[in-house]
Structure formats: C-alpha cells, structure tokens
Amino acid sequence: MAAGLRVVLLGPPGAGKGTQAKFLQEHYGACQISTGDILRKAVAEQTPLGKEASGYINQGALVPDDLIVNLVAERLKENDCAPGFILDGFPRTIPQAQSLDEILKKMGMVLNGVLAVQVPQKVIVERLAGRRTCKGCGALYHLAFDPPKAVAVCDRCGGELVQRDDDREETIVARLKVYDTQTAPLVDYYRERNLLRSVDGVGTVDDIRNRIIQALGDVK
Ligand code: AP5
C-alpha cells in the first residue's frame, strides 16, 4: 500500500476546507484537489464542462456526479498526487463516495482519514459573506478575519480580489440545504468505515490547523 496522506476534508460551505487544504498541501507535500476550484476555472474558461456546470453552481446545487467523478479520477493520476492527496469538496454524495472507493481500489489505494470540520451555521454565513478570492492566484481572504493590506488587492500577487457569485445570501441558504440533505450523510458513511475524525472548526486558522494535525497524527 502506498504511503502518504490520502484524506477527505468534509464540511459545510465556509467551514474552512480550502483554507486548511492549502496549508495541509504544503505541510504534508500532498496535492490539493478542490472540485470547486476546478469547476470555477472551467466556468471562467468557458470549457464544455464549465458551460454545463455554471447553472448548477450559481443556484447552489450540486453538479451531476458523473461529471465530477471522471474529473477527480483523472486528477488523481497526475504526478503531484503521487506523494498523497487532500480532497477538498469531494465526495459530496454517497454515490460519489462509492465511486471514490472504486477509483482508489483500481489504483491500489485506500483513504487513510476523513476530517469532518464542524462549524455552526451562524459562523458559516459570516465567513462566506466576507470571503474574497484572488482572481490571479486563488489566495483566500476575509474582510474581517484575514483582510488584505490594500482594498481588493492580493498581498501575494497583486491580483484583483473578488466575491464568488455563489456567496450571495440566497445562494448560501441553498448551498447549506444541499449540504444537509446530500453531503451530511457522508459523516455516517465514513464513521461506519472507521475513517472519521471530527475537528472543531471554530477558532483561529492556526488553532484549527493544529487540531487537524493532531487529528491526523497517526496517519503519516
Ligand atoms: P466549493 O468551492 O467546494 O464550495 P463549498 O464546499 O461550498 O466550500 P467553500 O469553498 O464555500 O468553503 P470552504 O470550506 O472551502 O471555506 P474557505 O476556506 O473558503 O463548491 C462550490 C460549488 O461547486 C458547489 O456549490 C457545487 O455547485 C460545485 N461542486 C463542487 N464540488 C462538487 C462536487 N464534489 N459535486 C458536485 N458539485 C460540486 O473559508 C471561507 C471564508 O472563511 C474565507 O474567507 C476564509 O478566509 C475564512 N476563514 C476560514 N477559516 C477561518 C477561521 N478559522 N476563522 C475565521 N475565518 C476563517
């Protein structure tokens, strides 16, 4: 069995999955696979995938499983994922989780952990409403909790900071409902397989990082 980190970050929109995945990627030398980032890039580039996905994303709905599963299967084969991977935003349905099991089996691998990041709804709405993302390098900011030095300008690359279209209030509500009905059942799916590690997602970014590292302690 291959060594390395092979984990899923599970949690509602705004739980801090992307923020923590970027850190874990550096800390463990693993690749980050964010299906949301891949889809947003496809939408921006107006590829066939992007054209098909944009309607779902703008309504806060999930993109159909078959589109997502193939995309992840291909991404996992890339060289930067050989030392390990962090799945950020995938799987999001039970069929996606079953497909992931199959994909990994064919690659001779299994997951070695699923981190469920728990954050109450009030905190989620606050985080999503203040989120800004760099159009250039994808860096994440928050207007109150992690503001850029200059208004709307990325500290790292000078790119423009924008608000995601699906961070409008009505879409946030739709995304939270989708999470509860379609994604939350994965908590039991992974608990039954003894893979689940729960992490309190309220606190500073550093606090949560430390909790995640502790929760992953015996994984690597
Ligand atoms: P996706 O991009 O995956 O969105 P999401 O799961 O809703 O998660 P977010 O990116 O909104 O939040 P996050 O948990 O990463 O939080 P972040 O770190 O940014 O998916 C978007 C859409 O694509 C979906 O709705 C769907 O349509 C489609 N899609 C994607 N994957 C799919 C799949 N597998 N199947 C089908 N459809 C799919 O943090 C949020 C904010 O909080 C930031 O501003 C950050 O700076 C701040 N913050 C983070 N941590 C803290 C902290 N500890 N304290 C204070 N502020 C913090």
Side-chain angles (χ1 to χ4, degrees), residues 11-21 32 34-37 39-40 53-54 56-65 68-69 72 88-93 96 123-124 126-133 140-143 145-146 164 166-167 171 175 178-179 201-208:
K17 303 182 296 295
T19 302
Q20 297 299 336
Q32 174 196 7
S34 160
T35 42
D37 286 350
L39 290 170
R40 277 184 292 279
S54 67
Y56 295 100
I57 297 173
N58 289 337
Q59 286 169 28
L62 294 182
V63 172
D65 289 341
I68 296 289
V69 166
V72 173
D88 161 13
F90 178 92
R92 256 175 150 97
T93 62
Q96 287 185 17
V123 177
I124 287 172
E126 212 178 5
R127 286 190 186 171
L128 292 180
R131 171 166 57 192
R132 296 294 181 272
T133 310
L140 286 168
Y141 295 86
H142 190 282
L143 294 181
F145 307 131
D146 183 18
R164 269 171 48 176
D166 62 347
D167 280 347
T171 318
R175 287 163 63 201
V178 166
Y179 179 81
V202 180
T204 67
V205 170
D206 285 347
D207 287 341
I208 297 157

Side-chain angles (χ1 to χ4, degrees), residues 13 120-130 142 169 172-173 176:
Q121 189 156 328
K122 184 176 165 289
V123 177
I124 287 172
V125 174
E126 212 178 5
R127 286 190 186 171
L128 292 180
H142 190 282
E169 202 179 326
I172 292 174
V173 172
L176 289 171

Side-chain angles (χ1 to χ4, degrees), residues 7-23:
V7 299
V8 169
L9 280 183
L10 191 61
K17 303 182 296 295
T19 302
Q20 297 299 336
K22 283 181 175 45
F23 158 74

